Amino acid sequence: FTIYDGGMNLVQALYLNNAVEPLNNVKVRQALCYAANRQEVLDMIADGKGTIIGSSMFPAFGKYYVPELSERYNQDIEKAKELLKEAGYPDGFELTITVPNNYQQHIDTAQVLVEQLKAIGVTAKIQQVEWDSWLSDVYADRKFQSTVVGFDASTLTANAMLQRWMSDSDKNMINFSDAQYDQVMSEANATTDDADRTALYLQAEKILTEQAANVYLQDL
């Protein structure tokens, strides 16, 4: 898959390893979502260009895109702190953001997020790695806490964007595991009716957002 190419549609996010502490707690993941100011990310990284997104789908996919999901986590520092407290992390925690060192766009984005996360007591540090190391350690072996990259769908289908996060997918590098999501995607794969499939995809996107699978940022 491609990570950044100016002309591509890409879902850029702070991708979270849902299987490692404390990111295995949905409230912690939601707190990170509320801490991020995505407009500031756009302004600082892309001169305000790009589109704020809220799930694993880009606007160009038209009928499969749910615009209102981009508003689900408008920045709310107090709410983020409250969620961290409920999750048992009233003083925040330390977070490592692993970024491939050949993508300045993602390094810059990570730097903006490091500053934003300070507001909720999360001390984030950036670990820059070679692209090959990122592919083997982060993508293949899933040995990471969080990472900033952008995903496209190599086959350019809505299904390819969403299939990836099924719990048994070998591409599910974030270890997202949600029984309802798996069920919805299985139904989508089984139906031949386009309207039904579309509705199921939209439902799947909402689950990714509600469960804060990742901190979705922008379509570059």
Side-chain angles (χ1 to χ4, degrees), residues 65-182:
Y65 178 70
V66 190
E68 60 268 23
L69 292 181
S70 64
E71 316 241 314
R72 170 68 175 80
Y73 297 106
N74 288 329
Q75 189 183 41
D76 188 333
I77 298 300
E78 291 315 308
K79 179 125 191 181
K81 285 180 176 169
E82 185 56 40
L83 283 162
L84 280 185
K85 199 165 144 191
E86 287 172 23
Y89 298 92
D91 303 319
F93 58 92
E94 293 185 356
L95 179 72
T96 301
I97 306 175
T98 306
V99 190
N101 65 7
N102 55 331
Y103 288 102
Q104 194 60 44
Q105 195 109 11
H106 299 317
I107 297 168
D108 293 345
T109 299
Q111 285 167 342
V112 177
L113 291 172
V114 166
E115 292 305 314
Q116 293 179 357
L117 292 173
K118 285 180 183 169
I120 63 166
V122 171
T123 308
K125 68 172 195 290
I126 296 171
Q127 175 189 32
Q128 290 191 35
V129 295
E130 300 281 335
W131 177 233
D132 287 349
S133 302
W134 188 91
L135 281 175
S136 59
D137 301 348
V138 177
Y139 189 76
D141 296 342
R142 306 180 187 181
K143 292 196 183 113
F144 75 107
Q145 217 181 351
S146 70
T147 183
V148 176
V149 288
F151 277 107
D152 70 348
S154 51
T155 54
L156 281 182
T157 63
N159 189 48
M161 292 297 295
L162 299 171
Q163 190 81 30
R164 167 188 294 284
W165 310 127
M166 289 179 77
S167 54
D168 60 355
S169 166
D170 58 356
K171 294 181 178 158
N172 181 7
M173 55 157 314
I174 61 167
N175 292 306
F176 180 68
S177 181
D178 183 271
Q180 192 192 357
Y181 188 83
D182 289 347

